[in-house]
Amino acid sequence: MSNHQIVNSAVHRDLRVLSGHGAALGDAVMACLTFPAEFRRVQGHFPIVFRRDLASGTFAVWALFGFEDGENLFLQGDAWDAPCKPLAQAIQPFLIGRGTGDTAQVHIDMDHPRVTGGGDAGVRLFDQDGQPSPYLESIAEMLGDLDQGHRDSPAFLAAIDRHGLLEPFSLDVPLDDGSRHSLVGFHAVNEQRLAALDAAALGELNAAGHLLPLYMAVASLGRFGDLIARKNRRVAGG
């Protein structure tokens, strides 16, 4: 069972959160969810791909960090080798909860490895007077952005699905040591179908704010070259 609690100063006055990077802190993941509003920032570093949930039939969007489960090629020991993290990864161990009237609340997963109860390690959530620390205020702002992103995503995904802009793809990754890896089960934006849309369809997508994220998703596929280079360095021990 998850141990999620609403963050408040009475209970969490002395709580600290480890804000660094590392496999032991939950960063050893192949991918994390992303959303259209952050595609411009994410596309410069991570491939953006789509995956259909077989049970619901709906798509979700992912920023890729590696080629297999548990592999994060941007994690170098206790360092994150990229200028940014997608919000869904950056806000851990926090998450959005809902109060009365669908009011957003800051929750924390008390069982997450980043949570530490005492000592000097980690960043405080509250100061000595019980006021939110700058760190907690920044987390609340990021959670607000993440919440809005999740709310906006269904319309974006429905629009690109309606226009048939997604196609399944597989990627064969031959490495310098002679081994091969395959990436399967994902979809990507079909650039040719996007370019072939008529003026009415493009106008509809643009008016809804969907066109720029689509181009950003297409541009992000160029990051696969960097991901393969990182894989080769990892295999070679670099």
Side-chain angles (χ1 to χ4, degrees):
M1 294 291 291
S2 298
N3 185 11
H4 297 170
Q5 299 179 7
I6 301 173
V7 173
N8 70 83
S9 60
V11 177
H12 305 115
R13 174 75 65 93
D14 298 320
L15 198 69
R16 291 176 180 262
V17 170
L18 301 173
S19 60
H21 315 287
L25 298 178
D27 286 327
V29 291
M30 172 186 173
C32 81
L33 289 170
T34 185
F35 56 90
E38 68 172 352
F39 281 8
R40 185 196 292 269
R41 182 171 60 93
V42 167
Q43 63 84 26
H45 313 289
F46 315 104
I48 297 170
V49 294
F50 301 75
R51 192 165 210 166
R52 189 189 293 273
D53 180 83
L54 296 180
S56 67
T58 59
F59 281 100
V61 198
W62 297 84
L64 282 182
F65 306 146
F67 293 107
E68 53 190 307
D69 287 345
E71 177 181 73
N72 186 341
L73 298 171
F74 295 88
L75 185 62
Q76 306 291 332
D78 61 356
W80 184 269
D81 188 26
C84 70
K85 275 185 177 182
L87 281 177
Q89 191 70 21
I91 55 88
Q92 294 182 6
F94 300 94
L95 59 156
I96 302 163
R98 294 293 171 194
T100 304
D102 202 36
T103 303
Q105 300 171 325
V106 178
H107 284 215
I108 187 168
D109 179 3
M110 294 298 293
D111 292 335
H112 196 280
R114 291 185 178 276
V115 177
T116 176
D120 296 326
V123 183
R124 293 183 64 105
L125 303 188
F126 297 94
D127 62 22
Q128 295 294 340
D129 298 322
Q131 297 301 308
S133 67
Y135 170 70
L136 183 56
E137 289 178 344
S138 70
I139 288 293
E141 182 176 352
M142 286 193 290
L143 281 172
D145 292 340
L146 189 64
D147 185 37
Q148 188 61 52
H150 284 311
R151 291 174 181 268
D152 293 342
S153 289
F156 170 78
L157 292 166
I160 62 177
D161 195 27
R162 183 169 64 252
H163 288 287
L165 294 177
L166 295 181
E167 64 173 353
F169 82 99
S170 59
L171 183 68
D172 187 43
V173 186
L175 299 177
D176 293 345
D177 68 350
S179 64
R180 306 181 79 87
H181 287 263
S182 295
L183 185 70
V184 296
F186 292 98
H187 287 64
V189 175
N190 184 307
E191 186 174 359
Q192 288 71 36
R193 292 179 195 167
L194 178 59
L197 290 178
D198 61 24
L202 290 171
E204 172 202 325
L205 290 168
N206 187 55
H210 301 325
L211 198 55
L212 179 61
L214 274 167
Y215 286 127
M216 293 296 101
V218 170
S220 78
L221 299 181
R223 303 312 304 169
F224 271 117
D226 174 59
L227 208 60
I228 293 170
R230 287 174 179 273
K231 181 70 173 181
N232 274 316
R233 291 196 295 271
R234 180 72 57 90
V235 170

Tab-separated table of all heavy atoms in Angstrom, residues 5-60:
chain	number	residue	atom	x	y	z
A	5	GLN	N	0.649	11.159	2.060
A	5	GLN	CA	0.117	12.059	3.080
A	5	GLN	C	0.044	13.478	2.534
A	5	GLN	O	0.881	13.881	1.713
A	5	GLN	CB	1.007	12.040	4.331
A	5	GLN	CG	1.110	10.685	5.005
A	5	GLN	CD	2.016	10.716	6.229
A	5	GLN	OE1	2.478	11.781	6.659
A	5	GLN	NE2	2.277	9.552	6.795
A	6	ILE	N	-0.959	14.227	2.990
A	6	ILE	CA	-1.031	15.649	2.655
A	6	ILE	C	0.080	16.364	3.415
A	6	ILE	O	0.237	16.186	4.629
A	6	ILE	CB	-2.394	16.243	3.050
A	6	ILE	CG1	-3.525	15.504	2.346
A	6	ILE	CG2	-2.442	17.729	2.725
A	6	ILE	CD1	-4.901	15.923	2.823
A	7	VAL	N	0.857	17.171	2.717
A	7	VAL	CA	1.960	17.884	3.362
A	7	VAL	C	1.399	19.013	4.218
A	7	VAL	O	0.631	19.856	3.743
A	7	VAL	CB	2.926	18.451	2.295
A	7	VAL	CG1	3.980	19.333	2.948
A	7	VAL	CG2	3.586	17.317	1.524
A	8	ASN	N	1.760	19.012	5.493
A	8	ASN	CA	1.391	20.129	6.372
A	8	ASN	C	2.447	20.289	7.452
A	8	ASN	O	3.149	19.335	7.811
A	8	ASN	CB	-0.003	19.919	6.974
A	8	ASN	CG	-0.041	18.795	7.979
A	8	ASN	OD1	0.305	18.986	9.139
A	8	ASN	ND2	-0.463	17.599	7.546
A	9	SER	N	2.569	21.489	7.958
A	9	SER	CA	3.659	21.812	8.886
A	9	SER	C	3.525	21.102	10.230
A	9	SER	O	4.528	20.825	10.884
A	9	SER	CB	3.741	23.327	9.097
A	9	SER	OG	2.526	23.818	9.646
A	10	ALA	N	2.305	20.796	10.654
A	10	ALA	CA	2.120	20.154	11.951
A	10	ALA	C	2.747	18.761	11.969
A	10	ALA	O	3.362	18.355	12.965
A	10	ALA	CB	0.636	20.067	12.290
A	11	VAL	N	2.603	18.041	10.857
A	11	VAL	CA	3.100	16.658	10.789
A	11	VAL	C	4.517	16.598	10.223
A	11	VAL	O	5.327	15.776	10.654
A	11	VAL	CB	2.151	15.791	9.925
A	11	VAL	CG1	2.689	14.374	9.771
A	11	VAL	CG2	0.755	15.773	10.521
A	12	HIS	N	4.825	17.495	9.297
A	12	HIS	CA	6.071	17.373	8.533
A	12	HIS	C	7.042	18.515	8.796
A	12	HIS	O	7.880	18.822	7.954
A	12	HIS	CB	5.744	17.287	7.037
A	12	HIS	CG	4.790	16.186	6.688
A	12	HIS	ND1	3.534	16.427	6.174
A	12	HIS	CD2	4.902	14.842	6.806
A	12	HIS	CE1	2.913	15.265	5.961
A	12	HIS	NE2	3.717	14.290	6.346
A	13	ARG	N	6.957	19.126	9.967
A	13	ARG	CA	7.810	20.274	10.299
A	13	ARG	C	9.301	19.950	10.139
A	13	ARG	O	10.070	20.771	9.637
A	13	ARG	CB	7.532	20.716	11.744
A	13	ARG	CG	8.454	21.825	12.288
A	13	ARG	CD	8.095	23.176	11.708
A	13	ARG	NE	6.771	23.590	12.131
A	13	ARG	CZ	6.534	24.341	13.208
A	13	ARG	NH1	7.532	24.748	13.961
A	13	ARG	NH2	5.295	24.699	13.496
A	14	ASP	N	9.717	18.749	10.548
A	14	ASP	CA	11.135	18.394	10.522
A	14	ASP	C	11.509	17.477	9.359
A	14	ASP	O	12.655	17.004	9.284
A	14	ASP	CB	11.522	17.709	11.836
A	14	ASP	CG	11.319	18.627	13.036
A	14	ASP	OD1	11.625	19.826	12.910
A	14	ASP	OD2	10.841	18.141	14.081
A	15	LEU	N	10.565	17.225	8.469
A	15	LEU	CA	10.834	16.300	7.368
A	15	LEU	C	11.808	16.918	6.369
A	15	LEU	O	11.767	18.114	6.096
A	15	LEU	CB	9.522	15.963	6.656
A	15	LEU	CG	9.528	14.714	5.768
A	15	LEU	CD1	9.649	13.465	6.628
A	15	LEU	CD2	8.252	14.649	4.936
A	16	ARG	N	12.662	16.083	5.854
A	16	ARG	CA	13.610	16.500	4.825
A	16	ARG	C	13.507	15.572	3.623
A	16	ARG	O	13.137	14.405	3.762
A	16	ARG	CB	15.051	16.506	5.366
A	16	ARG	CG	15.321	17.590	6.408
A	16	ARG	CD	16.722	17.467	6.972
A	16	ARG	NE	17.004	18.489	7.957
A	16	ARG	CZ	17.657	19.617	7.702
A	16	ARG	NH1	18.106	19.853	6.479
A	16	ARG	NH2	17.882	20.508	8.659
A	17	VAL	N	13.874	16.098	2.470
A	17	VAL	CA	13.826	15.331	1.227
A	17	VAL	C	15.195	15.412	0.547
A	17	VAL	O	15.773	16.498	0.418
A	17	VAL	CB	12.736	15.876	0.288
A	17	VAL	CG1	12.848	15.256	-1.101
A	17	VAL	CG2	11.352	15.620	0.868
A	18	LEU	N	15.705	14.254	0.137
A	18	LEU	CA	16.976	14.204	-0.577
A	18	LEU	C	16.740	14.653	-2.008
A	18	LEU	O	15.959	14.052	-2.743
A	18	LEU	CB	17.535	12.781	-0.548
A	18	LEU	CG	17.789	12.207	0.860
A	18	LEU	CD1	18.174	10.740	0.777
A	18	LEU	CD2	18.868	13.005	1.579
A	19	SER	N	17.404	15.708	-2.407
A	19	SER	CA	17.126	16.328	-3.702
A	19	SER	C	18.172	16.010	-4.764
A	19	SER	O	18.123	16.560	-5.863
A	19	SER	CB	17.020	17.851	-3.552
A	19	SER	OG	18.232	18.385	-3.037
A	20	GLY	N	19.105	15.121	-4.457
A	20	GLY	CA	20.142	14.772	-5.429
A	20	GLY	C	19.642	13.774	-6.456
A	20	GLY	O	18.438	13.647	-6.710
A	21	HIS	N	20.571	13.052	-7.041
A	21	HIS	CA	20.246	12.099	-8.085
A	21	HIS	C	20.907	10.761	-7.753
A	21	HIS	O	21.941	10.706	-7.099
A	21	HIS	CB	20.749	12.584	-9.448
A	21	HIS	CG	20.458	14.026	-9.720
A	21	HIS	ND1	19.190	14.486	-10.018
A	21	HIS	CD2	21.265	15.117	-9.701
A	21	HIS	CE1	19.235	15.791	-10.204
A	21	HIS	NE2	20.481	16.206	-10.010
A	22	GLY	N	20.318	9.679	-8.240
A	22	GLY	CA	20.918	8.368	-8.024
A	22	GLY	C	19.904	7.258	-8.200
A	22	GLY	O	18.691	7.464	-8.081
A	23	ALA	N	20.425	6.073	-8.494
A	23	ALA	CA	19.550	4.917	-8.665
A	23	ALA	C	18.769	4.637	-7.393
A	23	ALA	O	17.583	4.286	-7.431
A	23	ALA	CB	20.386	3.703	-9.071
A	24	ALA	N	19.430	4.784	-6.245
A	24	ALA	CA	18.773	4.508	-4.967
A	24	ALA	C	17.690	5.524	-4.650
A	24	ALA	O	16.875	5.292	-3.749
A	24	ALA	CB	19.813	4.483	-3.845
A	25	LEU	N	17.663	6.648	-5.360
A	25	LEU	CA	16.676	7.693	-5.107
A	25	LEU	C	15.522	7.652	-6.121
A	25	LEU	O	14.700	8.563	-6.166
A	25	LEU	CB	17.348	9.068	-5.146
A	25	LEU	CG	18.428	9.305	-4.094
A	25	LEU	CD1	19.040	10.691	-4.265
A	25	LEU	CD2	17.862	9.154	-2.689
A	26	GLY	N	15.478	6.596	-6.930
A	26	GLY	CA	14.362	6.436	-7.860
A	26	GLY	C	14.611	6.928	-9.265
A	26	GLY	O	13.671	7.027	-10.062
A	27	ASP	N	15.865	7.234	-9.608
A	27	ASP	CA	16.156	7.759	-10.943
A	27	ASP	C	16.526	6.681	-11.957
A	27	ASP	O	16.737	6.983	-13.132
A	27	ASP	CB	17.302	8.778	-10.871
A	27	ASP	CG	16.872	10.103	-10.267
A	27	ASP	OD1	15.705	10.484	-10.465
A	27	ASP	OD2	17.692	10.748	-9.596
A	28	ALA	N	16.626	5.428	-11.531
A	28	ALA	CA	16.972	4.345	-12.452
A	28	ALA	C	15.722	3.869	-13.178
A	28	ALA	O	15.197	2.783	-12.938
A	28	ALA	CB	17.638	3.199	-11.693
A	29	VAL	N	15.227	4.699	-14.080
A	29	VAL	CA	14.018	4.393	-14.842
A	29	VAL	C	14.289	4.649	-16.326
A	29	VAL	O	15.068	5.530	-16.691
A	29	VAL	CB	12.816	5.232	-14.372
A	29	VAL	CG1	12.380	4.798	-12.974
A	29	VAL	CG2	13.124	6.728	-14.399
A	30	MET	N	13.633	3.886	-17.159
A	30	MET	CA	13.818	3.977	-18.605
A	30	MET	C	13.134	5.197	-19.205
A	30	MET	O	13.566	5.722	-20.238
A	30	MET	CB	13.266	2.696	-19.240
A	30	MET	CG	13.203	2.668	-20.740
A	30	MET	SD	12.361	1.160	-21.303
A	30	MET	CE	12.245	1.480	-23.058
A	31	ALA	N	12.059	5.667	-18.557
A	31	ALA	CA	11.258	6.751	-19.126
A	31	ALA	C	10.393	7.348	-18.038
A	31	ALA	O	10.223	6.769	-16.954
A	31	ALA	CB	10.376	6.221	-20.259
A	32	CYS	N	9.833	8.508	-18.322
A	32	CYS	CA	8.815	9.077	-17.437
A	32	CYS	C	7.780	9.798	-18.289
A	32	CYS	O	8.040	10.158	-19.447
A	32	CYS	CB	9.423	10.011	-16.391
A	32	CYS	SG	9.769	11.684	-16.968
A	33	LEU	N	6.613	10.002	-17.713
A	33	LEU	CA	5.547	10.696	-18.424
A	33	LEU	C	5.943	12.146	-18.704
A	33	LEU	O	6.639	12.779	-17.903
A	33	LEU	CB	4.265	10.663	-17.604
A	33	LEU	CG	3.558	9.309	-17.495
A	33	LEU	CD1	2.450	9.375	-16.443
A	33	LEU	CD2	2.987	8.876	-18.840
A	34	THR	N	5.487	12.645	-19.821
A	34	THR	CA	5.656	14.061	-20.135
A	34	THR	C	4.348	14.558	-20.763
A	34	THR	O	3.418	13.781	-20.974
A	34	THR	CB	6.854	14.293	-21.079
A	34	THR	OG1	7.051	15.690	-21.275
A	34	THR	CG2	6.660	13.614	-22.422
A	35	PHE	N	4.252	15.841	-21.025
A	35	PHE	CA	3.008	16.407	-21.530
A	35	PHE	C	3.320	17.565	-22.475
A	35	PHE	O	4.426	18.124	-22.444
A	35	PHE	CB	2.090	16.844	-20.388
A	35	PHE	CG	2.713	17.810	-19.428
A	35	PHE	CD1	2.614	19.166	-19.643
A	35	PHE	CD2	3.389	17.357	-18.307
A	35	PHE	CE1	3.188	20.071	-18.770
A	35	PHE	CE2	3.968	18.252	-17.420
A	35	PHE	CZ	3.868	19.615	-17.650
A	36	PRO	N	2.370	17.935	-23.347
A	36	PRO	CA	2.667	18.868	-24.436
A	36	PRO	C	3.272	20.197	-24.018
A	36	PRO	O	4.133	20.725	-24.733
A	36	PRO	CB	1.296	19.076	-25.098
A	36	PRO	CG	0.561	17.809	-24.826
A	36	PRO	CD	0.996	17.376	-23.455
A	37	ALA	N	2.863	20.764	-22.889
A	37	ALA	CA	3.356	22.086	-22.501
A	37	ALA	C	4.854	22.100	-22.234
A	37	ALA	O	5.484	23.164	-22.277
A	37	ALA	CB	2.599	22.591	-21.272
A	38	GLU	N	5.454	20.940	-21.957
A	38	GLU	CA	6.896	20.918	-21.710
A	38	GLU	C	7.686	20.284	-22.860
A	38	GLU	O	8.888	20.090	-22.747
A	38	GLU	CB	7.220	20.220	-20.386
A	38	GLU	CG	6.953	18.735	-20.323
A	38	GLU	CD	7.492	18.081	-19.043
A	38	GLU	OE1	8.208	18.741	-18.265
A	38	GLU	OE2	7.190	16.887	-18.844
A	39	PHE	N	7.018	19.997	-23.980
A	39	PHE	CA	7.717	19.384	-25.113
A	39	PHE	C	8.857	20.259	-25.611
A	39	PHE	O	9.912	19.758	-25.988
A	39	PHE	CB	6.746	19.126	-26.272
A	39	PHE	CG	5.870	17.909	-26.126
A	39	PHE	CD1	5.838	17.178	-24.948
A	39	PHE	CD2	5.072	17.494	-27.181
A	39	PHE	CE1	5.016	16.065	-24.821
A	39	PHE	CE2	4.248	16.377	-27.066
A	39	PHE	CZ	4.222	15.667	-25.887
A	40	ARG	N	8.656	21.588	-25.644
A	40	ARG	CA	9.718	22.473	-26.152
A	40	ARG	C	11.004	22.289	-25.348
A	40	ARG	O	12.110	22.271	-25.906
A	40	ARG	CB	9.267	23.932	-26.111
A	40	ARG	CG	10.279	24.895	-26.733
A	40	ARG	CD	9.972	26.328	-26.314
A	40	ARG	NE	8.739	26.821	-26.881
A	40	ARG	CZ	8.655	27.464	-28.034
A	40	ARG	NH1	9.737	27.676	-28.767
A	40	ARG	NH2	7.489	27.906	-28.474
A	41	ARG	N	10.856	22.164	-24.019
A	41	ARG	CA	12.025	21.996	-23.150
A	41	ARG	C	12.582	20.577	-23.217
A	41	ARG	O	13.803	20.369	-23.270
A	41	ARG	CB	11.614	22.332	-21.712
A	41	ARG	CG	12.710	22.251	-20.682
A	41	ARG	CD	12.223	22.805	-19.357
A	41	ARG	NE	11.078	22.062	-18.847
A	41	ARG	CZ	11.186	21.036	-17.996
A	41	ARG	NH1	12.375	20.664	-17.573
A	41	ARG	NH2	10.122	20.424	-17.550
A	42	VAL	N	11.702	19.602	-23.254
A	42	VAL	CA	12.111	18.199	-23.199
A	42	VAL	C	12.756	17.740	-24.503
A	42	VAL	O	13.723	16.961	-24.501
A	42	VAL	CB	10.892	17.316	-22.857
A	42	VAL	CG1	11.179	15.837	-23.084
A	42	VAL	CG2	10.470	17.537	-21.402
A	43	GLN	N	12.250	18.230	-25.651
A	43	GLN	CA	12.679	17.689	-26.935
A	43	GLN	C	14.154	17.899	-27.238
A	43	GLN	O	14.730	17.185	-28.055
A	43	GLN	CB	11.831	18.283	-28.069
A	43	GLN	CG	11.938	19.797	-28.256
A	43	GLN	CD	13.113	20.235	-29.102
A	43	GLN	OE1	13.586	19.463	-29.943
A	43	GLN	NE2	13.600	21.454	-28.880
A	44	GLY	N	14.779	18.857	-26.607
A	44	GLY	CA	16.190	19.093	-26.850
A	44	GLY	C	17.101	18.064	-26.221
A	44	GLY	O	18.308	18.047	-26.508
A	45	HIS	N	16.551	17.175	-25.392
A	45	HIS	CA	17.384	16.236	-24.647
A	45	HIS	C	16.902	14.789	-24.692
A	45	HIS	O	17.721	13.867	-24.636
A	45	HIS	CB	17.459	16.682	-23.180
A	45	HIS	CG	17.749	18.137	-23.015
A	45	HIS	ND1	18.988	18.682	-23.299
A	45	HIS	CD2	16.945	19.176	-22.645
A	45	HIS	CE1	18.940	19.992	-23.092
A	45	HIS	NE2	17.724	20.316	-22.702
A	46	PHE	N	15.585	14.579	-24.805
A	46	PHE	CA	15.034	13.234	-24.703
A	46	PHE	C	14.071	12.958	-25.862
A	46	PHE	O	13.273	13.835	-26.210
A	46	PHE	CB	14.251	13.069	-23.389
A	46	PHE	CG	14.942	13.630	-22.190
A	46	PHE	CD1	14.532	14.830	-21.622
A	46	PHE	CD2	16.021	12.971	-21.614
A	46	PHE	CE1	15.160	15.354	-20.511
A	46	PHE	CE2	16.662	13.487	-20.501
A	46	PHE	CZ	16.238	14.678	-19.941
A	47	PRO	N	14.112	11.752	-26.444
A	47	PRO	CA	13.086	11.398	-27.428
A	47	PRO	C	11.703	11.366	-26.776
A	47	PRO	O	11.555	10.896	-25.649
A	47	PRO	CB	13.502	9.992	-27.887
A	47	PRO	CG	14.953	9.865	-27.520
A	47	PRO	CD	15.123	10.681	-26.284
A	48	ILE	N	10.703	11.876	-27.483
A	48	ILE	CA	9.320	11.874	-27.007
A	48	ILE	C	8.544	10.844	-27.817
A	48	ILE	O	8.457	10.943	-29.046
A	48	ILE	CB	8.678	13.266	-27.162
A	48	ILE	CG1	9.415	14.296	-26.296
A	48	ILE	CG2	7.198	13.232	-26.808
A	48	ILE	CD1	9.015	15.739	-26.567
A	49	VAL	N	7.995	9.863	-27.117
A	49	VAL	CA	7.281	8.777	-27.788
A	49	VAL	C	5.929	8.565	-27.106
A	49	VAL	O	5.677	9.086	-26.019
A	49	VAL	CB	8.106	7.468	-27.782
A	49	VAL	CG1	9.373	7.628	-28.618
A	49	VAL	CG2	8.453	7.047	-26.358
A	50	PHE	N	5.091	7.772	-27.744
A	50	PHE	CA	3.730	7.552	-27.275
A	50	PHE	C	3.525	6.051	-27.060
A	50	PHE	O	4.083	5.227	-27.780
A	50	PHE	CB	2.719	8.063	-28.308
A	50	PHE	CG	2.856	9.528	-28.614
A	50	PHE	CD1	3.896	10.000	-29.408
A	50	PHE	CD2	1.939	10.442	-28.117
A	50	PHE	CE1	4.021	11.351	-29.697
A	50	PHE	CE2	2.057	11.799	-28.394
A	50	PHE	CZ	3.100	12.246	-29.189
A	51	ARG	N	2.695	5.731	-26.063
A	51	ARG	CA	2.400	4.323	-25.807
A	51	ARG	C	0.919	4.165	-25.509
A	51	ARG	O	0.361	4.919	-24.704
A	51	ARG	CB	3.235	3.794	-24.637
A	51	ARG	CG	3.194	2.277	-24.504
A	51	ARG	CD	4.300	1.766	-23.602
A	51	ARG	NE	4.724	0.433	-23.988
A	51	ARG	CZ	5.830	-0.149	-23.572
A	51	ARG	NH1	6.649	0.486	-22.764
A	51	ARG	NH2	6.142	-1.364	-23.967
A	52	ARG	N	0.311	3.182	-26.161
A	52	ARG	CA	-1.116	2.933	-25.964
A	52	ARG	C	-1.326	1.974	-24.799
A	52	ARG	O	-0.681	0.924	-24.721
A	52	ARG	CB	-1.745	2.353	-27.224
A	52	ARG	CG	-3.270	2.266	-27.155
A	52	ARG	CD	-3.829	1.486	-28.320
A	52	ARG	NE	-3.656	2.133	-29.596
A	52	ARG	CZ	-4.505	3.026	-30.105
A	52	ARG	NH1	-5.575	3.396	-29.407
A	52	ARG	NH2	-4.284	3.553	-31.303
A	53	ASP	N	-2.218	2.355	-23.896
A	53	ASP	CA	-2.612	1.457	-22.815
A	53	ASP	C	-3.593	0.430	-23.387
A	53	ASP	O	-4.643	0.794	-23.917
A	53	ASP	CB	-3.275	2.249	-21.683
A	53	ASP	CG	-3.700	1.360	-20.534
A	53	ASP	OD1	-2.846	1.054	-19.686
A	53	ASP	OD2	-4.893	0.973	-20.493
A	54	LEU	N	-3.245	-0.850	-23.290
A	54	LEU	CA	-4.049	-1.885	-23.919
A	54	LEU	C	-5.425	-2.013	-23.273
A	54	LEU	O	-6.396	-2.377	-23.941
A	54	LEU	CB	-3.311	-3.221	-23.864
A	54	LEU	CG	-1.984	-3.280	-24.642
A	54	LEU	CD1	-1.346	-4.650	-24.507
A	54	LEU	CD2	-2.205	-2.932	-26.105
A	55	ALA	N	-5.528	-1.703	-21.996
A	55	ALA	CA	-6.806	-1.843	-21.302
A	55	ALA	C	-7.782	-0.735	-21.693
A	55	ALA	O	-8.947	-0.991	-22.011
A	55	ALA	CB	-6.592	-1.848	-19.796
A	56	SER	N	-7.296	0.511	-21.695
A	56	SER	CA	-8.184	1.645	-21.979
A	56	SER	C	-8.183	2.067	-23.436
A	56	SER	O	-9.105	2.725	-23.914
A	56	SER	CB	-7.777	2.845	-21.121
A	56	SER	OG	-6.488	3.330	-21.516
A	57	GLY	N	-7.118	1.698	-24.158
A	57	GLY	CA	-6.993	2.113	-25.555
A	57	GLY	C	-6.480	3.523	-25.741
A	57	GLY	O	-6.331	3.986	-26.870
A	58	THR	N	-6.189	4.234	-24.660
A	58	THR	CA	-5.725	5.615	-24.739
A	58	THR	C	-4.197	5.670	-24.741
A	58	THR	O	-3.524	4.755	-24.259
A	58	THR	CB	-6.251	6.444	-23.565
A	58	THR	OG1	-5.809	5.853	-22.327
A	58	THR	CG2	-7.773	6.482	-23.575
A	59	PHE	N	-3.683	6.767	-25.288
A	59	PHE	CA	-2.244	6.959	-25.355
A	59	PHE	C	-1.738	7.769	-24.161
A	59	PHE	O	-2.469	8.592	-23.588
A	59	PHE	CB	-1.859	7.693	-26.641
A	59	PHE	CG	-1.838	6.826	-27.865
A	59	PHE	CD1	-2.906	6.837	-28.748
A	59	PHE	CD2	-0.758	6.006	-28.134
A	59	PHE	CE1	-2.904	6.054	-29.884
A	59	PHE	CE2	-0.741	5.209	-29.266
A	59	PHE	CZ	-1.815	5.224	-30.143
A	60	ALA	N	-0.496	7.551	-23.818
A	60	ALA	CA	0.244	8.401	-22.891
A	60	ALA	C	1.560	8.769	-23.569
A	60	ALA	O	2.004	8.085	-24.491
A	60	ALA	CB	0.500	7.692	-21.566
